[in-house]
Amino acid sequence: MRREDVEVLTIGQLAAHTGVTVRAVRHYHHLGLLPEPERDVSGYRRYGAAAVVDLIRIKTLADAGVPLARIDELLHAGPGHFAEAVTEIDRSLAEKMDQLREHRRRISELAAGDRLFLPEDVVRILDRERALGVGEGLVRLERDVWIMLAAQTPEAVPEWVAVKGAALDDPAFVELYRTISHALEWSPADPRLAGLAEQITTWHHRNLDRPGPGSTVPADLMFSHVLQSSPALRRLLGPHPADPSWPG
């Protein structure tokens, strides 16, 4: 189509010539990057060769990663300023790439599950509990307690790991801990809770001389989390248990 012997293009033809979408052309109009021609007598906007060149330059800069907010500046920049701006944009892109690599590293660590949040020796304790048949609900509850402990008093973690490891060496404790893990789903009115409470009390009395951690830890928040997790546990544990072998 010709106007005054100069070939003109519709917006669709312009987009096709430059490898962009019509929506992108309109977006560049909206941002002020590409001048929007007046409509002809037929009500259509017509574009000439200059628009093709401008749009190719815009697309090239955008495809290179130049932020749209900086493209107008570069389109009108002299050689010196253009080089400086490109160097600055390259530096900014490099920083973003570093951030993305770090994000990818952290995302990949999510596949490691508990290892993202906890020291390796704590993860071994949790894995050992699973292998011993402790229910996943109680393991996850204990994991949350370990996360709080490691964040607030990391210096206490080795002592607590040693205490918990020693407890897991005791078959009586393991059997009791497995039962507690099942009790998470019991009703607080379940008659089995009374017998379980007696077993816990008996175990504590038999192990009063068992070494415990010497570090003082902020246990109130952790114990509260344990009690809120299960109405049955809330009734079962009652007063704050001083033994770190138990969840919390």
Side-chain angles (χ1 to χ4, degrees), residues 14 58 64 68 109 135 164-165 171 181-182 224 247:
L14 173 65
I58 293 169
L68 292 179
E109 288 181 346
K164 194 55 178 278
S181 70
H182 300 319
S224 174

Side-chain angles (χ1 to χ4, degrees), residues 67-144:
L68 292 179
R70 301 291 302 275
I71 287 180
D72 186 64
E73 171 192 351
L74 295 184
L75 289 174
H76 300 92
H81 179 63
F82 185 92
E84 292 177 1
V86 167
T87 299
E88 178 188 343
I89 292 170
D90 179 66
R91 183 166 52 249
S92 176
L93 288 174
E95 292 174 355
K96 290 180 180 179
M97 289 174 63
D98 289 341
Q99 293 173 357
L100 288 173
R101 277 192 289 268
E102 175 62 15
H103 290 163
R104 289 193 65 193
R105 185 187 69 78
R106 295 299 301 275
I107 287 294
S108 68
E109 288 181 346
L110 291 176
D114 298 335
R115 287 172 174 80
L116 179 63
F117 310 101
L118 291 169
E120 186 62 31
D121 53 354
V122 174
V123 174
R124 284 194 291 268
I125 287 289
L126 299 177
D127 287 343
R128 186 180 176 190
E129 290 176 359
R130 293 185 177 99
L132 289 170
V134 177
E136 187 62 27
L138 186 56
V139 173
R140 290 179 180 176
L141 177 61
E142 184 176 320
R143 177 203 60 191
D144 292 347

Side-chain angles (χ1 to χ4, degrees), residues 14-246:
L14 173 65
H17 270 64
T18 53
V20 302
T21 64
V22 170
R23 182 177 181 180
V25 175
R26 290 183 174 136
H27 185 54
Y28 295 147
H29 285 328
H30 176 72
L31 295 176
L33 297 177
L34 183 69
E36 190 171 8
E38 297 292 334
R39 296 184 184 275
D40 62 15
V41 293
S42 301
Y44 294 99
R45 301 190 189 280
R46 305 293 181 177
Y47 300 83
V52 175
V53 174
D54 288 344
L55 189 52
I56 290 174
R57 294 176 68 202
I58 293 169
K59 180 178 183 297
T60 301
L61 291 171
D63 288 347
V66 175
L68 292 179
R70 301 291 302 275
I71 287 180
D72 186 64
E73 171 192 351
L74 295 184
L75 289 174
H76 300 92
H81 179 63
F82 185 92
E84 292 177 1
V86 167
T87 299
E88 178 188 343
I89 292 170
D90 179 66
R91 183 166 52 249
S92 176
L93 288 174
E95 292 174 355
K96 290 180 180 179
M97 289 174 63
D98 289 341
Q99 293 173 357
L100 288 173
R101 277 192 289 268
E102 175 62 15
H103 290 163
R104 289 193 65 193
R105 185 187 69 78
R106 295 299 301 275
I107 287 294
S108 68
E109 288 181 346
L110 291 176
D114 298 335
R115 287 172 174 80
L116 179 63
F117 310 101
L118 291 169
E120 186 62 31
D121 53 354
V122 174
V123 174
R124 284 194 291 268
I125 287 289
L126 299 177
D127 287 343
R128 186 180 176 190
E129 290 176 359
R130 293 185 177 99
L132 289 170
V134 177
E136 187 62 27
L138 186 56
V139 173
R140 290 179 180 176
L141 177 61
E142 184 176 320
R143 177 203 60 191
D144 292 347
V145 172
W146 282 112
I147 288 173
M148 287 187 281
L149 175 65
Q152 296 180 58
T153 54
E155 70 280 358
V157 169
E159 293 180 281
W160 281 53
V161 166
V163 170
K164 194 55 178 278
L168 293 176
D169 290 335
D170 180 354
F173 174 83
V174 173
E175 181 179 355
L176 197 51
Y177 212 49
R178 282 197 294 257
T179 304
I180 292 173
S181 70
H182 300 319
L184 288 178
E185 305 300 326
W186 294 354
S187 163
D190 194 303
R192 290 175 294 179
L193 286 174
L196 183 54
E198 290 182 6
Q199 293 177 52
I200 293 174
T201 300
T202 299
W203 189 90
H204 272 294
H205 287 162
R206 289 176 179 173
N207 292 272
L208 289 177
D209 58 347
R210 186 166 53 90
S215 301
T216 301
V217 297
D220 289 343
L221 180 61
M222 294 185 287
F223 186 63
S224 174
H225 178 62
V226 171
L227 295 188
Q228 291 174 6
S229 67
S230 165
L233 269 189
R234 189 158 54 245
R235 181 185 172 197
L236 178 65
L237 297 180
H240 194 312
D243 195 326
S245 305
W246 303 101

